Structures are given as structure tokens and as C-alpha cells.
Amino acid sequence: MNTWEFLYNGFLVALQPENLIYALVGVLIGTAVGVLPGIGPMSGVALLIPITSTLTAGTTPEEAAASAIILLAGVYYGAMYGGSTTSILLNTPGESSSVVTALDGYQLAKQGRAGSALSIAAIGSFVAGIVSLIALVFLAVPLSEVAIRFGPAEYFSLMLLGLCAVSGLAGKSMTKGLIMTVAGLLLATIGIDNVSGVARFTYDMPILYQGLEFLTVAVGLFALGEVFKTILEKESNDGHIVKIGRVTPTATDLKDSAGPIARGSLLGFFIGVLPGAGATLASFFSYILEKKLSKNPDKFGKGAIEGVAAPESANNAASGGAMIPLLTLGIPGSGTTAILMGALIMYNVQPGPLLFDEHPQVAWGLIASMFIGNVMLLVLNMPLVKMFAKIIETPAKYLIPIIIAISFFGVYAVQVNTFDLYLLIGFGVIGYFLAKHDYPLAPLVLGLVLGPMIENNLRRALTASNGDWSVFVTHPLSLTFLIIAALWLIIPFIMKLRGKNVVINEEG
């Protein structure tokens, strides 16, 4: 059978009434999970695994596996849609890949363009979902062969490039951007060292052995930082209502977003294919790319619609791309795909090179259900834009307690300990002072996310090469990433030295 016949059979599985219901329930729960900070797609999928085994009792093992993975995958990509909502309306990222969306989305909401931002996020997510699925259908096998050639040296260099590129998010001062990146990397070292088992910077406090929970830091810096700013600077009068303009995007918004959506979809998909890279990295890279390509990069961070379209497209495309290493290699690319893999194995379906031959009903049924799920999400989310946009009209005196409650509930739900709540308040205060003095928060967050991955890949590469550092420059792909990373830092510095405050639009 060729690809089209397999896909046709997949649609026959996905269009069965019970599987349509599972897909709908999955995307609804996923959207809710994305909106609430703290209950990310990982927690959502993990919580539902026991329920799927009850729901699918009485069916054949193959049917049970197909139905369960359709429901769980619906939660996964539904959360990618939902995460943008609170980022745009409340500056509270629903999950890590929505951090970048908050940079411009929240500014748009404050300008009364929340409706446009939410609509563009939904449209971008839908287009990216479809693009990544079409690519998944045709490129799954060839791309898995490329991804398997990525060794630790290549991953280390790619992530180093990501950190250097994030200096493009640094606003006016690259120095401040680099300070925040290093601060993020330093925070990432707290906890038990994965390789040697030594406790680092834990000060004999067992609570710190696991390290700092990413979500606690992100919600503290972004959401509570904004709360402190509103309270301390009396930014909005009690009862003052932000007027919302039109809810549907204008023709100009659609025109400005078309390129970023297309580029974000493709970039996000290819980054998603790399195990370990994930949606967060994809959204950061796509934002940086749009800022570099823009004729007017200064508008980013002040309410550029492209700053919503690109990262939202990229993080949804990455969730499609992440399915390739999972399904074809049996390598989970992220925490959520690791849980999906566990669910498949629970149903005696082993992801890997033989999955498409041994369990075509599960593999192609899942791919077809993701097409249907994306359509469901667009149909559900577009009418709800008006309802979500109304949230921003809530006066600050009502909104601030809601943001605080969502933040505390979300952070507490992750590890169920009160220490995280103290950390949350602490990072809220730090976030307020950093933002007040123009220190960019995004590089710190990316440093915290990439820190453990960079360290693990550095040590794996050096272990494999018996401590020979030349491994990073003798591998052509690794060397290419390192050269681009170096140029990213050096070129703007040289431009500044020559007194030319030129923004590099084409290359960098």
C-alpha cells in the first residue's frame, strides 16, 4: 500500500463515532489545560492515561490503543492552542512555549487588539497544524534518517546557537540580554547533577534537589511581575475598562501575518523533528527570525502582530514534528511525547521503525485524527475569541486576584509543595525590578530551559570523544551551528563599534 491508502485507512479509523468523540474531548481538555498555567500538556496527558484504559475496556487491543492515543494526542496539541490565550490576555503563559507569545500578544491586548491577536493565534495554529501534518505524512521516514545522525556535539552546538540568537530578544542592550541568559543557565545548575549525583547549590535543602521548577520561574517573572507593576505603579485606575476594538483580524493583520505563519510553520516543524528541541525552542527561533527579517524590528515587544503569528505557528508545528521521532524512531522529543510513548507501550504498541508496519491502524489513525482535531480546534476557538477577549475588559481590581489565584493554583499543582509558592512570589518581585530596569526576561527563561540539555549534551559529547574538545569543530554540522552562533554575537558588536546602529535584516 502507498501513503495515500494508509492515510485513507487512517481516516476510516479516526472518523469512527467513538474516536471523533475522543478527539473532541481531547482537544477541549487540551485547550483548558493550555489556558491554566501549571497544568501543562504533560500533566494533562499523564492525568488522563488511567481514564483511557477504563474508557477503552471491551475493545480489541489495537482499537483501544488507537482510541487512547487519539484522546491523549488531542490534549497535547489542544494545549498548544490554549496556551496562547492567557499569554495574550493576562501576560500569564499557559505553558512554556507560550512565553514568547506574551511579549507582543499582551501589548496588543493593552492596545485593545486582543481580538485580532487571539484570532491570528488561532489561524496561525490551525495553518501550522495542517502544514506539519502534511509534512509528517510525506517526510516521516526520510526525516527520521536525518535526525538519527544528530549526535551530542550537534545538539550542544544547536542549543548554543539558540542561546546566542536569543540576544536578538534582548531589546536595546545585548549586554543585558547576555547577563539574563547567563543568569538562566546558572539557575539551571541548581539541584542534583545528573551525571555525578552531586548536589549543587542546594544548601542542604532537600526541596532544591530537583532543581527550580521551570513553570514557577516563568509564571513568577511574567505574571506576578505584571501584578506587582500594576499594584505598585497604579498603572490602571480601579474600574477602568480597556476598550476592545474589532474582534476579527483586519486585512492588514492577515497580510502582515501570512509570511510569519508560513515561516513559523516550516521552522517549527523542522525544529520539532529534532528530539529534545521542542516547541519552546521553535517559538523562540521563529520570533528571532521575524525580528531579523522585519523592516521595522523596533515594533517587536510593543505589539507587533507578527510577534504573535510566528511563535504560535511554530509551537503548533513543532508538536506535529515531535511525532516523527516518537513514531518512527521510538525517541520522545519532549516530556509530553515521552508520556505518549509510555501510553502506547502500556497498550503493547512499541513506537519505532516497525510501528507503521506492525500497527498501521494506530499510527495512521493518530495522524488522521490530528487533521480532524485541528479543524475542531479552529471551529471551537474562533467563536470563543470574543468571549476570551472580554477577559481583558475586567477591571484591574477584579483581574489581579484572578491572575494571582490562577498562578498560585497552577504552580502548586505541579509539585504540591508550598516552597514553590515562596519561590513564585520571590521571582515575581525579581521580575518586576528586572522589567523596570529594561532587563529582558525571555533570555533568562530560555537559559533555564536549555541549561540542563546543553550540559548533558556537552558531557555526553566529551565522554564519547575521551575529553577531546575538537569534537565540536570536526563534525561539520556542529561547526556550522557554532560559526552562525559566533556571527550572531560578533556582527551586531562590530556594527556598534563602527558607529552604525544598523539592524541586520537579511542575515545574522
Side-chain angles (χ1 to χ4, degrees):
M1 282 204 291
N2 63 23
T3 302
W4 290 109
E5 288 168 333
F6 277 124
L7 190 60
Y8 171 73
N9 288 339
F11 272 105
L12 291 180
V13 173
L15 288 168
Q16 288 170 4
E18 66 273 22
N19 287 341
L20 281 174
I21 293 167
Y22 287 138
L24 179 63
V25 170
V27 297
L28 278 172
I29 293 173
T31 305
V33 156
V35 167
L36 286 170
I39 313 179
M42 208 160 25
S43 314
V45 171
L47 288 169
L48 284 174
I49 288 177
I51 298 167
T52 58
S53 55
T54 315
L55 290 173
T56 55
T59 56
T60 66
E62 193 88 350
E63 285 172 355
S67 298
I69 201 72
I70 283 169
L71 172 65
L72 298 174
V75 176
Y76 176 34
Y77 55 87
M80 294 297 176
Y81 265 76
S84 62
T85 305
T86 44
S87 284
I88 290 168
L89 295 180
L90 307 176
N91 203 29
T92 311
E95 25 88 42
S96 57
S97 55
S98 299
V99 167
V100 193
T101 312
L103 299 177
D104 280 282
Y106 185 61
Q107 297 302 320
L108 284 165
K110 289 209 298 194
Q111 294 163 22
R113 295 174 64 200
S116 289
L118 286 166
S119 301
I120 289 294
I123 293 164
S125 298
F126 172 73
V127 171
I130 297 301
V131 167
S132 69
L133 284 166
I134 292 168
L136 174 59
V137 168
F138 294 105
L139 300 178
V141 179
L143 276 177
S144 61
E145 288 167 8
V146 174
I148 211 163
R149 291 188 194 141
F150 258 64
E154 284 81 4
Y155 274 119
F156 170 78
S157 304
L158 174 69
M159 287 166 189
L160 203 62
L161 167 59
L163 285 181
C164 292
V166 90
S167 62
L169 290 175
K172 298 183 190 78
S173 165
M174 186 184 278
T175 312
K176 284 181 175 176
L178 290 171
I179 289 169
M180 298 309 286
T181 306
V182 172
L185 289 172
L186 290 172
L187 289 174
T189 60
I190 294 172
I192 297 280
D193 174 19
N194 285 339
V195 179
S196 64
V198 173
R200 301 186 295 192
F201 307 112
T202 55
Y203 304 103
D204 293 329
M205 294 167 67
I207 200 93
L208 285 175
Y209 286 170
Q210 285 182 316
L212 298 183
E213 176 58 44
F214 161 78
L215 196 100
T216 309
V217 177
V219 172
L221 291 173
F222 285 93
L224 281 199
E226 189 65 33
V227 165
F228 285 127
K229 183 183 175 188
T230 309
I231 294 169
L232 295 171
E233 298 181 7
K234 301 263 189 301
E235 198 180 55
S236 57
N237 312 319
D238 277 355
H240 172 68
I241 293 177
V242 178
K243 279 278 172 269
I244 291 186
R246 56 187 288 157
V247 171
T248 50
T250 61
T252 314
D253 286 339
L254 290 170
K255 183 167 159 279
D256 289 344
S257 305
I261 286 172
R263 287 187 289 269
S265 301
L266 292 170
L267 181 70
F269 175 76
F270 288 110
I271 290 176
V273 169
L274 303 172
T280 308
L281 196 61
S283 60
F284 271 98
F285 267 141
S286 68
Y287 187 86
I288 293 160
L289 176 70
E290 289 311 316
K291 195 170 177 181
K292 286 283 179 198
L293 293 174
S294 174
K295 294 190 176 80
N296 182 14
D298 293 339
K299 67 181 176 180
F300 281 80
K302 295 172 187 166
I305 197 78
E306 298 93 328
V308 173
E312 272 308 299
S313 305
N315 76 29
N316 278 273
S319 65
M323 288 291 174
I324 286 184
L326 172 69
L327 299 177
T328 58
L329 301 175
I331 299 171
S334 65
T336 316
T337 46
I339 292 168
L340 288 174
M341 181 174 169
L344 283 169
I345 292 168
M346 194 176 90
Y347 285 98
N348 292 321
V349 174
Q350 178 62 51
L354 300 176
L355 174 70
F356 285 84
D357 293 330
E358 291 178 354
H359 304 282
Q361 185 181 346
V362 176
W364 291 102
L366 168 63
I367 292 169
S369 81
M370 287 173 77
F371 275 103
I372 296 162
N374 267 292
V375 176
M376 286 177 176
L377 279 166
L378 186 70
V379 172
L380 286 169
N381 278 323
M382 287 303 281
L384 293 177
V385 160
K386 200 169 183 78
M387 191 183 87
F388 286 138
K390 289 285 176 196
I391 294 173
I392 203 74
E393 289 191 356
T394 314
K397 62 182 178 185
Y398 304 124
L399 198 58
I400 286 172
I402 294 169
I403 296 174
I404 293 171
I406 291 174
S407 302
F408 272 64
F409 166 73
V411 165
Y412 188 73
V414 176
Q415 297 193 124
V416 195
N417 68 52
T418 48
F419 176 75
D420 279 357
L421 300 181
Y422 294 120
L423 260 185
L424 177 71
I425 297 166
F427 276 105
V429 175
I430 292 166
Y432 165 69
F433 283 109
L434 288 174
K436 192 176 180 186
H437 294 96
D438 277 340
Y439 281 86
L441 301 176
L444 187 149
V445 171
L446 191 70
L448 186 65
V449 173
L450 291 186
M453 299 186 211
I454 286 177
E455 187 182 5
N456 287 343
N457 283 303
L458 172 69
R459 291 167 97 163
R460 280 172 55 211
L462 290 174
T463 305
S465 65
N466 290 324
D468 183 4
W469 288 83
S470 68
V471 68
F472 297 107
V473 290
T474 50
H475 291 207
L477 208 52
S478 172
L479 179 62
T480 308
F481 290 142
L482 288 175
I483 290 169
I484 296 169
L487 289 175
W488 211 295
L489 294 179
I490 293 165
I491 291 175
F493 185 66
I494 291 170
M495 289 287 183
K496 215 166 191 181
L497 279 183
R498 288 169 64 184
K500 290 181 182 177
N501 248 338
V502 178
V503 176
I504 305 152
N505 285 330
E506 287 82 28
E507 294 176 343

